[in-house]
Amino acid sequence: SQDVRVLLQYDGPIQDRSIRILDLAPGSWDEPISCSLRTVHLDDDLRYEAISYAWGDPNDRKTVICNGSIVNTTRSLFEALQRFRYVDTTRTLWADAICINQADNDERTSQVRLMNFIYKRAVRVLVWLQHEDDQVVQDALNAICRFVCREDGFARYVPQELHTQQQSTQLFYRWRDLEVTCASGEEPPRVADVAG
């Protein structure tokens, strides 16, 4: 995936079970996006979040600053970084397009083989669904919830508790001003308004 068009100065090829993670600098919504890369080993005690995002239009480009270089990336990844960035503290993330040297075929091949472990080791996977149609986004989120609830490999998944004055119920995800508390295939999702 040739997501980064301006080549970063990477710190050399990464070996074995090593990966690069990015430290996303804090900033407000309209400030430039700045990050730096560092190499870590998957067997170390790490805390990072992995980003899973829709590729979007490969010709629709935006710039971020990474390791002091201006890098062109897809609008989709740019908006994910913009949305997931904290205002007052650094956030540590893994995003394939920047963390993998896209110009090095050997590295790209070896890192793709590690992606299962990269996502497993993440403390959280952040999903960015860029789409102009709200219904498409909500349908995609509902499909993900149904998959998670159905798969044996995720049997230990326990949704976050949502406490109301009258009842305690499961929260699958929060989207816009709604909290979705049911995502079965047999019925439409149940939603509750988010106060504030």
Side-chain angles (χ1 to χ4, degrees), residues 150-169:
R150 186 175 59 237
E151 284 298 302
D152 290 341
F154 293 96
R156 291 175 301 178
Y157 171 79
V158 179
Q160 174 183 347
E161 291 287 319
L162 170 66
H163 297 284
T164 64
Q165 292 178 346
Q166 298 160 340
Q167 63 179 2
S168 173
T169 187

Side-chain angles (χ1 to χ4, degrees), residues 172-183:
F172 286 104
Y173 64 86
R174 181 172 288 148
W175 181 70
R176 298 211 175 225
D177 295 327
L178 300 173
E179 289 179 331
V180 175
T181 60
C182 175

Side-chain angles (χ1 to χ4, degrees), residues 25-37:
S28 65
W29 182 259
D30 54 356
E31 288 180 300
I33 293 175
S34 180
C35 62
S36 59
L37 293 172

